[in-house]
């Protein structure tokens, strides 16, 4: 794994933890989803956006929440 890949992997893991701090159904500030649902929403977010524009910040976290909200409204 190259240094760039390691850094990107670490940043994605950090972002996943960051989203879990907010949205995890057991420990989150706004408990709305399981860890797996959050992970899936992040994958959808990454696949449907230009990866070079993702900053792994609060705006991106909120966009993940919108994906989580849409999934719940479909159920």
């Amino acid at each position: 794994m190259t240094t760039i890949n390691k850094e990107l992997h670490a940043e994605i893991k950090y972002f996943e933890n960051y989203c879990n701090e907010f949205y995890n159904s057991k420990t989150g500030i706004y408990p709305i989803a399981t860890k797996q649902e959050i992970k899936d929403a992040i994958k959808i977010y990454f696949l449907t956006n230009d990866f070079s524009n993702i900053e792994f910040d609060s705006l991106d976290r909120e966009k993940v929440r919108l994906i989580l909200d849409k999934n719940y409204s479909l159920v």
Side-chain angles (χ1 to χ4, degrees):
M1 187 180 282
T2 66
T3 302
I4 293 172
N5 286 342
K6 287 180 185 178
E7 290 172 6
L8 182 58
H9 180 74
E11 189 137 25
I12 291 170
K13 191 65 178 164
Y14 169 82
F15 185 67
E16 185 179 316
N17 289 335
Y18 177 51
C19 289
N20 268 293
E21 287 177 11
F22 278 82
Y23 306 127
N24 185 278
S25 60
K26 293 183 181 177
T27 60
I29 296 168
Y30 307 106
I32 62 170
T34 66
K35 282 186 175 186
Q36 187 60 52
E37 289 167 333
I38 294 167
K39 188 178 242 184
D40 292 344
I42 290 169
K43 285 179 187 177
I44 291 168
Y45 180 62
F46 289 164
L47 291 171
T48 57
N49 289 278
D50 181 359
F51 207 75
S52 65
N53 292 329
I54 296 175
E55 299 290 327
F56 303 99
D57 59 8
S58 59
L59 294 174
D60 293 315
R61 177 181 48 81
E62 282 294 314
K63 291 175 184 174
V64 169
R65 182 189 56 78
L66 292 173
I67 293 168
L68 290 166
D69 287 345
K70 286 180 184 177
N71 286 340
Y72 282 111
S73 66
L74 295 174
V75 175

Coordinates of all heavy atoms in Angstrom, one line a residue:
M1 N 0.9 -1.2 0.0 CA 0.0 0.0 0.0 C 0.9 1.2 0.0 O 1.8 1.3 0.8 CB -0.9 0.0 1.2 CG -1.9 1.1 1.3 SD -3.0 1.1 2.7 CE -4.2 -0.3 2.3
T2 N 0.6 2.2 -0.9 CA 1.5 3.3 -1.0 C 1.1 4.3 0.2 O 0.1 4.2 0.8 CB 1.2 4.1 -2.3 OG1 -0.1 4.6 -2.3 CG2 1.4 3.2 -3.5
T3 N 2.0 5.3 0.3 CA 1.8 6.3 1.4 C 0.5 7.0 1.2 O -0.2 7.3 2.1 CB 3.0 7.2 1.4 OG1 4.2 6.5 1.6 CG2 2.9 8.3 2.5
I4 N 0.2 7.4 -0.1 CA -1.0 8.1 -0.4 C -2.2 7.3 0.0 O -3.2 7.7 0.6 CB -1.0 8.6 -1.8 CG1 0.0 9.6 -2.1 CG2 -2.4 9.1 -2.2 CD1 0.2 10.0 -3.5
N5 N -2.2 6.0 -0.4 CA -3.3 5.1 0.0 C -3.4 4.9 1.5 O -4.6 4.9 2.0 CB -3.1 3.7 -0.7 CG -3.4 3.7 -2.2 OD1 -4.0 4.7 -2.7 ND2 -2.9 2.7 -2.8
K6 N -2.3 4.9 2.2 CA -2.4 4.8 3.7 C -3.0 6.0 4.3 O -3.8 5.9 5.2 CB -1.0 4.5 4.2 CG -0.5 3.1 4.0 CD 0.9 3.0 4.6 CE 1.5 1.6 4.3 NZ 2.9 1.5 4.8
E7 N -2.6 7.2 3.8 CA -3.2 8.4 4.3 C -4.6 8.5 4.0 O -5.4 9.0 4.8 CB -2.4 9.6 3.7 CG -1.0 9.7 4.2 CD -0.2 10.8 3.4 OE1 -0.8 11.5 2.6 OE2 1.0 10.9 3.7
L8 N -5.1 8.1 2.8 CA -6.5 8.2 2.4 C -7.3 7.2 3.3 O -8.4 7.5 3.8 CB -6.6 7.9 0.9 CG -8.1 7.9 0.4 CD1 -8.7 9.3 0.6 CD2 -8.1 7.6 -1.1
H9 N -6.7 6.0 3.4 CA -7.4 5.0 4.3 C -7.6 5.6 5.7 O -8.7 5.4 6.3 CB -6.6 3.7 4.3 CG -7.2 2.7 5.1 ND1 -8.4 2.0 4.7 CD2 -6.9 2.1 6.3 CE1 -8.7 1.1 5.7 NE2 -7.8 1.2 6.6
A10 N -6.6 6.2 6.2 CA -6.6 6.8 7.6 C -7.7 7.9 7.7 O -8.4 8.0 8.6 CB -5.3 7.3 8.0
E11 N -7.7 8.7 6.6 CA -8.7 9.8 6.6 C -10.1 9.3 6.5 O -11.0 9.8 7.1 CB -8.4 10.7 5.4 CG -9.2 12.0 5.5 CD -8.4 13.2 5.1 OE1 -7.4 13.1 4.4 OE2 -8.9 14.3 5.6
I12 N -10.3 8.2 5.7 CA -11.7 7.6 5.6 C -12.1 7.0 6.9 O -13.2 7.2 7.4 CB -11.7 6.6 4.5 CG1 -11.6 7.3 3.1 CG2 -12.9 5.7 4.5 CD1 -11.4 6.4 1.9
K13 N -11.2 6.3 7.6 CA -11.4 5.7 8.9 C -11.8 6.8 9.9 O -12.7 6.7 10.7 CB -10.2 4.9 9.4 CG -10.5 4.0 10.5 CD -11.6 3.0 10.2 CE -11.8 2.1 11.4 NZ -13.1 1.3 11.2
Y14 N -11.0 7.9 9.9 CA -11.3 9.0 10.8 C -12.7 9.6 10.5 O -13.5 9.9 11.5 CB -10.3 10.1 10.6 CG -10.6 11.4 11.3 CD1 -10.4 11.6 12.7 CD2 -11.3 12.5 10.6 CE1 -10.8 12.7 13.3 CE2 -11.6 13.6 11.3 CZ -11.4 13.8 12.6 OH -11.8 14.9 13.3
F15 N -13.1 9.7 9.2 CA -14.4 10.3 8.9 C -15.5 9.3 9.3 O -16.5 9.8 9.8 CB -14.4 10.5 7.4 CG -15.7 11.1 6.9 CD1 -16.0 12.4 7.3 CD2 -16.6 10.5 6.1 CE1 -17.2 13.1 6.8 CE2 -17.8 11.0 5.7 CZ -18.1 12.4 6.0
E16 N -15.3 8.0 9.2 CA -16.2 7.1 9.6 C -16.4 7.2 11.2 O -17.6 7.2 11.6 CB -15.8 5.7 9.3 CG -16.7 4.6 9.6 CD -16.2 3.2 9.2 OE1 -15.7 3.1 8.1 OE2 -16.4 2.3 10.1
N17 N -15.4 7.3 11.9 CA -15.5 7.5 13.4 C -16.2 8.8 13.7 O -17.0 8.9 14.6 CB -14.1 7.5 14.0 CG -13.5 6.1 14.0 OD1 -14.2 5.1 14.0 ND2 -12.2 6.0 14.0
Y18 N -15.9 9.9 12.9 CA -16.5 11.2 13.1 C -18.0 11.1 12.9 O -18.8 11.6 13.7 CB -15.8 12.1 12.1 CG -16.4 13.5 12.1 CD1 -16.5 14.3 13.3 CD2 -16.7 14.1 10.9 CE1 -17.0 15.6 13.2 CE2 -17.2 15.4 10.8 CZ -17.3 16.1 12.0 OH -17.8 17.4 11.9
C19 N -18.4 10.4 11.9 CA -19.8 10.2 11.6 C -20.5 9.4 12.7 O -21.6 9.7 13.1 CB -20.1 9.6 10.2 SG -19.7 10.7 8.9
N20 N -19.8 8.4 13.2 CA -20.3 7.5 14.2 C -20.5 8.3 15.5 O -21.5 8.1 16.3 CB -19.4 6.3 14.5 CG -19.9 5.1 13.7 OD1 -20.9 4.6 13.9 ND2 -19.0 4.8 12.7
E21 N -19.6 9.3 15.8 CA -19.8 10.1 17.0 C -21.1 10.9 17.0 O -21.7 11.1 18.0 CB -18.6 11.1 17.1 CG -17.3 10.5 17.5 CD -16.2 11.5 17.5 OE1 -16.5 12.8 17.4 OE2 -15.0 11.1 17.6
F22 N -21.5 11.2 15.8 CA -22.8 12.0 15.7 C -24.0 11.1 15.5 O -25.1 11.4 16.1 CB -22.7 13.0 14.5 CG -22.0 14.2 14.9 CD1 -20.6 14.3 14.8 CD2 -22.7 15.4 15.2 CE1 -19.9 15.4 15.2 CE2 -22.0 16.5 15.5 CZ -20.6 16.6 15.5
Y23 N -23.9 10.0 14.7 CA -25.1 9.4 14.3 C -25.3 7.9 14.8 O -26.3 7.3 14.6 CB -25.2 9.4 12.8 CG -25.1 10.7 12.2 CD1 -24.2 11.0 11.2 CD2 -25.9 11.8 12.7 CE1 -24.0 12.3 10.7 CE2 -25.8 13.1 12.2 CZ -24.9 13.3 11.2 OH -24.8 14.6 10.7
N24 N -24.4 7.4 15.6 CA -24.5 6.0 16.0 C -25.7 5.9 17.0 O -25.8 6.7 17.9 CB -23.2 5.6 16.7 CG -23.2 4.2 17.2 OD1 -23.8 3.8 18.2 ND2 -22.6 3.3 16.3
S25 N -26.5 4.9 16.7 CA -27.7 4.7 17.5 C -27.5 4.4 19.0 O -28.4 4.6 19.8 CB -28.5 3.6 16.9 OG -27.8 2.4 16.9
K26 N -26.3 4.0 19.4 CA -26.0 3.7 20.8 C -25.3 4.8 21.5 O -25.5 5.1 22.7 CB -25.2 2.4 20.9 CG -26.0 1.2 20.4 CD -25.2 -0.1 20.6 CE -26.0 -1.3 20.2 NZ -25.3 -2.5 20.3
T27 N -24.4 5.5 20.8 CA -23.5 6.4 21.5 C -23.5 7.8 20.8 O -22.8 8.7 21.3 CB -22.1 5.9 21.5 OG1 -21.6 5.7 20.2 CG2 -22.0 4.6 22.3
G28 N -24.2 8.0 19.8 CA -24.1 9.3 19.0 C -24.9 10.4 19.6 O -25.8 10.2 20.4
I29 N -24.5 11.6 19.2 CA -25.1 12.8 19.7 C -26.6 12.9 19.1 O -27.5 13.2 19.8 CB -24.4 14.1 19.2 CG1 -23.0 14.1 19.9 CG2 -25.1 15.4 19.5 CD1 -22.0 15.1 19.3
Y30 N -26.7 12.5 17.8 CA -28.0 12.3 17.2 C -28.2 10.8 16.8 O -27.8 10.5 15.7 CB -28.1 13.2 16.0 CG -27.8 14.6 16.2 CD1 -26.5 15.2 15.8 CD2 -28.7 15.5 16.9 CE1 -26.2 16.5 16.1 CE2 -28.3 16.8 17.2 CZ -27.1 17.3 16.8 OH -26.8 18.6 17.1
P31 N -28.6 10.0 17.7 CA -28.6 8.5 17.5 C -29.7 8.1 16.4 O -30.8 7.9 16.8 CB -28.9 8.0 18.8 CG -29.7 9.0 19.6 CD -29.2 10.3 19.0
I32 N -29.2 7.9 15.2 CA -30.2 7.6 14.1 C -29.8 6.4 13.3 O -30.6 5.9 12.5 CB -30.4 8.8 13.2 CG1 -29.1 9.2 12.5 CG2 -31.0 10.0 13.9 CD1 -29.2 10.2 11.3
A33 N -28.6 5.8 13.5 CA -28.2 4.7 12.6 C -27.2 3.8 13.3 O -26.5 4.2 14.2 CB -27.6 5.2 11.3
T34 N -27.2 2.5 12.8 CA -26.2 1.6 13.3 C -24.8 1.9 12.6 O -24.8 2.6 11.6 CB -26.6 0.2 13.0 OG1 -26.5 0.0 11.5 CG2 -27.9 -0.2 13.5
K35 N -23.8 1.3 13.2 CA -22.4 1.5 12.5 C -22.5 1.0 11.1 O -21.9 1.7 10.2 CB -21.4 0.7 13.3 CG -20.9 1.4 14.6 CD -19.8 0.6 15.2 CE -19.3 1.3 16.4 NZ -18.0 0.7 16.9
Q36 N -23.1 -0.1 10.8 CA -23.2 -0.6 9.4 C -23.9 0.3 8.5 O -23.5 0.6 7.4 CB -23.8 -2.0 9.4 CG -23.7 -2.6 8.0 CD -22.2 -2.8 7.5 OE1 -21.4 -3.3 8.2 NE2 -21.9 -2.3 6.3
E37 N -25.0 0.9 9.0 CA -25.8 1.8 8.2 C -25.0 3.1 7.9 O -25.1 3.6 6.8 CB -27.1 2.2 8.9 CG -28.1 1.1 8.9 CD -29.3 1.3 9.9 OE1 -29.1 2.0 10.9 OE2 -30.3 0.7 9.7
I38 N -24.2 3.5 8.9 CA -23.4 4.7 8.7 C -22.3 4.4 7.6 O -22.0 5.2 6.7 CB -22.8 5.2 10.0 CG1 -23.9 5.7 10.9 CG2 -21.7 6.2 9.8 CD1 -23.5 5.9 12.4
K39 N -21.7 3.2 7.8 CA -20.6 2.8 6.8 C -21.2 2.7 5.4 O -20.6 3.2 4.5 CB -20.1 1.5 7.3 CG -18.9 1.0 6.5 CD -18.4 -0.3 7.1 CE -17.0 -0.1 7.6 NZ -16.4 -1.3 8.1
D40 N -22.4 2.2 5.3 CA -23.0 2.1 4.0 C -23.4 3.4 3.4 O -23.2 3.7 2.2 CB -24.3 1.2 4.1 CG -24.0 -0.2 4.4 OD1 -22.9 -0.7 4.2 OD2 -25.0 -0.9 4.8
A41 N -23.8 4.4 4.2 CA -24.2 5.7 3.8 C -22.9 6.4 3.3 O -22.9 7.2 2.3 CB -24.9 6.5 4.9
I42 N -21.8 6.2 4.0 CA -20.5 6.8 3.6 C -20.1 6.3 2.3 O -19.7 7.1 1.4 CB -19.4 6.6 4.7 CG1 -19.8 7.4 5.9 CG2 -18.1 7.0 4.2 CD1 -18.9 7.1 7.2
K43 N -20.2 5.0 2.1 CA -19.9 4.4 0.8 C -20.7 5.0 -0.4 O -20.2 5.4 -1.4 CB -20.1 2.9 0.8 CG -19.1 2.1 1.5 CD -19.4 0.7 1.5 CE -18.4 -0.1 2.4 NZ -18.7 -1.5 2.5
I44 N -22.0 5.2 -0.1 CA -22.9 5.8 -1.1 C -22.5 7.2 -1.4 O -22.4 7.6 -2.5 CB -24.4 5.7 -0.6 CG1 -24.9 4.3 -0.6 CG2 -25.3 6.7 -1.5 CD1 -26.2 4.1 0.1
Y45 N -22.1 7.9 -0.3 CA -21.7 9.3 -0.5 C -20.4 9.4 -1.3 O -20.3 10.2 -2.3 CB -21.5 9.9 0.9 CG -21.0 11.4 0.8 CD1 -21.8 12.3 0.2 CD2 -19.8 11.7 1.3 CE1 -21.4 13.6 0.1 CE2 -19.3 13.1 1.2 CZ -20.2 14.0 0.6 OH -19.7 15.3 0.5
F46 N -19.5 8.5 -1.0 CA -18.2 8.5 -1.8 C -18.5 8.1 -3.3 O -17.8 8.7 -4.2 CB -17.2 7.6 -1.2 CG -16.6 8.0 0.1 CD1 -16.0 7.1 0.9 CD2 -16.7 9.3 0.5 CE1 -15.4 7.5 2.1 CE2 -16.2 9.8 1.7 CZ -15.5 8.9 2.5
L47 N -19.4 7.2 -3.5 CA -19.6 6.7 -4.9 C -20.4 7.7 -5.7 O -20.4 7.7 -6.9 CB -20.3 5.4 -4.8 CG -19.5 4.2 -4.3 CD1 -20.3 3.0 -4.1 CD2 -18.3 3.9 -5.3
T48 N -21.1 8.6 -5.1 CA -22.0 9.5 -5.8 C -21.5 10.9 -5.8 O -22.2 11.8 -6.3 CB -23.4 9.5 -5.2 OG1 -23.4 9.9 -3.8 CG2 -24.1 8.1 -5.4
N49 N -20.3 11.1 -5.4 CA -19.7 12.5 -5.4 C -18.3 12.4 -6.0 O -17.6 11.4 -5.9 CB -19.6 13.0 -4.0 CG -21.0 13.4 -3.5 OD1 -21.5 14.5 -3.8 ND2 -21.6 12.5 -2.8
D50 N -17.8 13.6 -6.5 CA -16.5 13.7 -6.9 C -15.5 13.6 -5.7 O -15.5 14.5 -4.9 CB -16.3 15.0 -7.7 CG -14.9 15.2 -8.3 OD1 -14.0 14.3 -8.1 OD2 -14.7 16.2 -8.9
F51 N -14.8 12.5 -5.7 CA -13.9 12.3 -4.5 C -12.9 13.4 -4.2 O -12.6 13.7 -3.1 CB -13.2 11.0 -4.6 CG -12.9 10.3 -3.3 CD1 -13.8 9.7 -2.6 CD2 -11.6 10.4 -2.8 CE1 -13.5 9.1 -1.3 CE2 -11.2 9.8 -1.6 CZ -12.2 9.2 -0.9
S52 N -12.5 14.1 -5.3 CA -11.5 15.2 -5.1 C -12.2 16.4 -4.4 O -11.5 17.3 -3.9 CB -11.0 15.6 -6.4 OG -12.0 16.2 -7.2
N53 N -13.5 16.5 -4.3 CA -14.2 17.6 -3.6 C -14.6 17.2 -2.2 O -15.1 18.1 -1.5 CB -15.4 18.0 -4.4 CG -15.1 18.6 -5.7 OD1 -14.1 19.3 -5.9 ND2 -16.0 18.4 -6.7
I54 N -14.3 16.0 -1.7 CA -14.7 15.6 -0.4 C -13.6 16.1 0.6 O -12.4 15.8 0.4 CB -14.9 14.1 -0.3 CG1 -16.1 13.7 -1.2 CG2 -15.1 13.7 1.1 CD1 -16.4 12.2 -1.3
E55 N -14.0 16.8 1.6 CA -13.1 17.4 2.6 C -13.1 16.6 3.9 O -12.3 17.0 4.8 CB -13.4 18.9 2.8 CG -13.3 19.8 1.6 CD -11.9 19.9 1.1 OE1 -11.0 20.0 2.0 OE2 -11.7 20.1 -0.1
F56 N -14.0 15.7 4.1 CA -14.1 14.9 5.3 C -14.4 15.9 6.5 O -13.9 15.7 7.6 CB -12.8 14.1 5.6 CG -12.5 13.2 4.5 CD1 -11.5 13.5 3.6 CD2 -13.1 11.9 4.4 CE1 -11.2 12.6 2.6 CE2 -12.8 11.0 3.4 CZ -11.8 11.4 2.5
D57 N -15.3 16.9 6.2 CA -15.6 17.8 7.3 C -17.1 17.8 7.7 O -17.8 16.8 7.3 CB -15.2 19.2 6.8 CG -15.9 19.6 5.5 OD1 -16.8 18.9 5.1 OD2 -15.6 20.7 4.9
S58 N -17.5 18.8 8.4 CA -18.9 18.8 8.9 C -19.9 18.8 7.7 O -21.0 18.3 7.8 CB -19.1 19.9 9.9 OG -18.9 21.1 9.3
L59 N -19.6 19.5 6.6 CA -20.5 19.5 5.5 C -20.6 18.2 4.9 O -21.8 17.7 4.5 CB -20.0 20.5 4.4 CG -20.0 22.0 4.8 CD1 -19.3 22.8 3.8 CD2 -21.4 22.5 5.1
D60 N -19.6 17.4 4.8 CA -19.6 16.1 4.3 C -20.4 15.2 5.2 O -21.2 14.3 4.8 CB -18.2 15.5 4.0 CG -17.5 16.2 2.9 OD1 -18.2 16.5 1.8 OD2 -16.3 16.6 3.1
R61 N -20.2 15.4 6.5 CA -20.9 14.6 7.5 C -22.4 14.8 7.4 O -23.2 13.9 7.5 CB -20.4 15.0 8.9 CG -21.2 14.2 10.0 CD -20.8 14.6 11.4 NE -20.6 16.1 11.6 CZ -21.7 16.9 11.9 NH1 -22.9 16.4 12.0 NH2 -21.5 18.2 12.1
E62 N -22.8 16.1 7.2 CA -24.2 16.4 7.0 C -24.8 15.7 5.8 O -26.0 15.3 5.8 CB -24.4 17.9 7.0 CG -24.4 18.5 8.4 CD -25.5 18.0 9.3 OE1 -26.7 18.0 8.8 OE2 -25.2 17.7 10.4
K63 N -24.0 15.6 4.7 CA -24.5 15.0 3.5 C -24.7 13.5 3.7 O -25.6 12.9 3.2 CB -23.5 15.3 2.4 CG -23.6 16.8 2.0 CD -22.6 17.1 0.9 CE -22.6 18.6 0.6 NZ -21.5 19.0 -0.3
V64 N -23.8 12.9 4.6 CA -24.0 11.5 4.9 C -25.3 11.3 5.7 O -26.1 10.4 5.5 CB -22.8 11.0 5.8 CG1 -23.1 9.6 6.4 CG2 -21.6 10.9 4.9
R65 N -25.6 12.3 6.6 CA -26.9 12.3 7.4 C -28.1 12.3 6.4 O -29.1 11.6 6.6 CB -27.0 13.4 8.4 CG -28.3 13.4 9.2 CD -28.5 14.6 10.0 NE -28.5 15.8 9.3 CZ -29.5 16.3 8.5 NH1 -30.6 15.6 8.4 NH2 -29.4 17.4 7.9
L66 N -28.0 13.1 5.4 CA -29.1 13.2 4.4 C -29.3 11.8 3.7 O -30.5 11.4 3.5 CB -28.8 14.3 3.4 CG -28.8 15.7 3.8 CD1 -28.4 16.6 2.7 CD2 -30.2 16.1 4.3
I67 N -28.2 11.1 3.5 CA -28.4 9.8 2.9 C -29.0 8.9 3.9 O -29.9 8.1 3.6 CB -27.0 9.2 2.5 CG1 -26.5 10.0 1.3 CG2 -27.1 7.7 2.1 CD1 -25.0 9.8 0.9
L68 N -28.6 9.0 5.2 CA -29.2 8.1 6.2 C -30.7 8.5 6.3 O -31.6 7.6 6.4 CB -28.6 8.4 7.6 CG -27.2 7.8 7.7 CD1 -26.5 8.4 8.9 CD2 -27.2 6.3 7.7
D69 N -31.1 9.7 6.3 CA -32.5 10.1 6.3 C -33.3 9.6 5.2 O -34.4 9.1 5.4 CB -32.6 11.7 6.4 CG -32.2 12.3 7.7 OD1 -32.1 11.5 8.7 OD2 -32.0 13.5 7.7
K70 N -32.7 9.6 4.0 CA -33.4 9.1 2.8 C -33.7 7.6 2.9 O -34.7 7.1 2.6 CB -32.6 9.4 1.5 CG -32.7 10.8 1.1 CD -31.9 11.1 -0.2 CE -31.9 12.5 -0.5 NZ -31.1 12.8 -1.7
N71 N -32.7 6.9 3.4 CA -32.8 5.4 3.6 C -33.9 5.1 4.6 O -34.7 4.2 4.4 CB -31.5 4.8 4.0 CG -30.5 4.7 2.9 OD1 -30.9 4.8 1.7 ND2 -29.3 4.6 3.2
Y72 N -34.1 5.9 5.6 CA -35.1 5.6 6.6 C -36.5 6.0 6.1 O -37.4 5.3 6.4 CB -34.9 6.4 7.9 CG -33.8 5.8 8.8 CD1 -32.6 6.4 8.9 CD2 -34.0 4.6 9.3 CE1 -31.6 5.8 9.7 CE2 -33.1 4.0 10.1 CZ -31.9 4.6 10.3 OH -30.9 4.0 11.1
S73 N -36.6 7.0 5.2 CA -37.9 7.4 4.7 C -38.4 6.3 3.6 O -39.5 6.3 3.4 CB -37.8 8.8 4.0 OG -37.0 8.8 2.9
L74 N -37.5 5.5 3.1 CA -37.8 4.5 2.1 C -38.3 3.2 2.8 O -39.0 2.4 2.2 CB -36.7 4.2 1.2 CG -36.2 5.3 0.3 CD1 -34.9 4.8 -0.4 CD2 -37.2 5.7 -0.7
V75 N -38.0 3.1 4.1 CA -38.4 1.9 4.8 C -39.8 1.9 5.3 O -40.4 2.9 5.5 CB -37.4 1.6 6.0 CG1 -37.9 0.5 6.9 CG2 -36.0 1.5 5.6

